[in-house]
Amino acid sequence: MRTLISTAFISLDGVVEAPGGEPGYRNSGWTFKDVEFLPEAFEIKGREQQEAAAMLLGRTSYEAFSPVWPDMAEFADYKVMPKYVVSTTLTEDALVPNWGPTSILRSLDEIAALKETEGGPIIVHGSAALNQALSDAGLIDRYHLLVFPLLLGAGKRLFSTTDKDAQKLKLVEHEAYANGVQKNVFDVVR
C-alpha cells in the first residue's frame, strides 16, 4: 500500500489559501512577504521531491501549478514523476503536455485504489478541498506541515469542519526556526 502525504504551508489558524501569491485572495503570498525567508525552514520541500513517487492534485491547484512548475528548476524532480488530478470536470485535452505523465481521477474510490498499487509515496500539494475530502475519508497517512506564525482569518482551510470522530496523530519530526516557522510531521494513527 502506498503512503499518501499531505504537505502544506499553513497559518497558525489553519489557512492554506494562496501561500505563494496566487491571485484572488486578500493575503496572497503570505509565506514570503510576511515572514523572513530562512532556507533551512524549507529543507523538507526538497526532501519531499526526492521521496515522492507521484503527485496528487485537485483541479484548481493543477490549473494554478501546471503553467508554472514544469519550467521551475526548484521543482525539477516533480516534472518527470506521474501526476494524478482529481476532478469531475477536467478533460484530457486540458492537461499540459510538458509536465510528465498525468492521469485524471474522478473519485475518492479511484484514489483509494491508487493507494493499493505498488510504488512509493504519493504527495498532495495545495488542493484544500481535496485535502479535506481525503482527510474525512481516512485516506491521508502523513502530514508535512510548515506552520507560519500568522493569523490570516478568512481563507481556505486544510481541515474540514465535518463532525467526525477524533483522529489521533503521532508527531514523528518537528523543528522550530528563528523566523517562527515550525515544521511538524505527523503520521495518522490507525
Side-chain angles (χ1 to χ4, degrees), residues 10-17 25-28 30 34 148-159:
I10 186 168
S11 68
L12 191 59
D13 58 349
V15 174
V16 294
E17 187 169 356
Y25 175 60
R26 176 181 182 199
N27 292 312
S28 184
W30 51 270
D34 294 325
F148 284 72
L150 299 169
L151 300 174
L152 298 174
K156 293 178 185 175
R157 310 257 177 212
L158 184 61
F159 301 103

Side-chain angles (χ1 to χ4, degrees), residues 114-177:
L114 175 64
K115 282 187 63 176
E116 295 294 329
T117 63
E118 293 294 318
I122 304 165
I123 195 145
V124 183
H125 279 279
S127 310
L130 175 59
N131 263 290
Q132 290 179 8
L134 293 168
S135 178
D136 288 349
L139 292 173
I140 295 177
D141 301 298
R142 174 174 274 198
Y143 292 95
H144 290 184
L145 305 178
L146 285 181
V147 183
F148 284 72
L150 299 169
L151 300 174
L152 298 174
K156 293 178 185 175
R157 310 257 177 212
L158 184 61
F159 301 103
S160 76
T161 58
T162 301
D163 187 12
K164 59 184 176 185
D165 292 338
Q167 184 175 52
K168 185 165 175 49
L169 305 175
K170 178 181 179 187
L171 183 65
V172 295
E173 183 181 342
H174 62 91
E175 192 162 349
Y177 303 96

Side-chain angles (χ1 to χ4, degrees), residues 1 6-7 20 23 30 54 66-67 74 85 98 124-125 134 182-183:
M1 179 179 237
S6 170
T7 182
W30 51 270
S66 64
E74 301 96 311
V85 183
N98 64 332
V124 183
H125 279 279
L134 293 168
Q182 295 177 16
K183 172 179 62 181

Side-chain angles (χ1 to χ4, degrees), residues 47-102:
R47 189 168 20 123
E48 288 171 347
Q49 286 187 69
Q50 296 299 311
E51 295 173 357
M55 186 187 309
L56 182 68
L57 298 162
R59 181 195 48 82
T60 301
S61 290
Y62 176 79
E63 289 174 344
F65 298 161
S66 64
V68 181
W69 280 25
D71 297 321
M72 293 180 71
E74 301 96 311
F75 301 118
D77 292 326
Y78 285 139
K79 185 169 184 168
V80 296
M81 77 174 53
K83 278 160 273 322
Y84 299 90
V85 183
V86 182
S87 173
T88 58
T89 59
L90 193 68
T91 57
E92 293 286 333
D93 62 330
L95 299 175
V96 299
N98 64 332
W99 203 22
T102 305

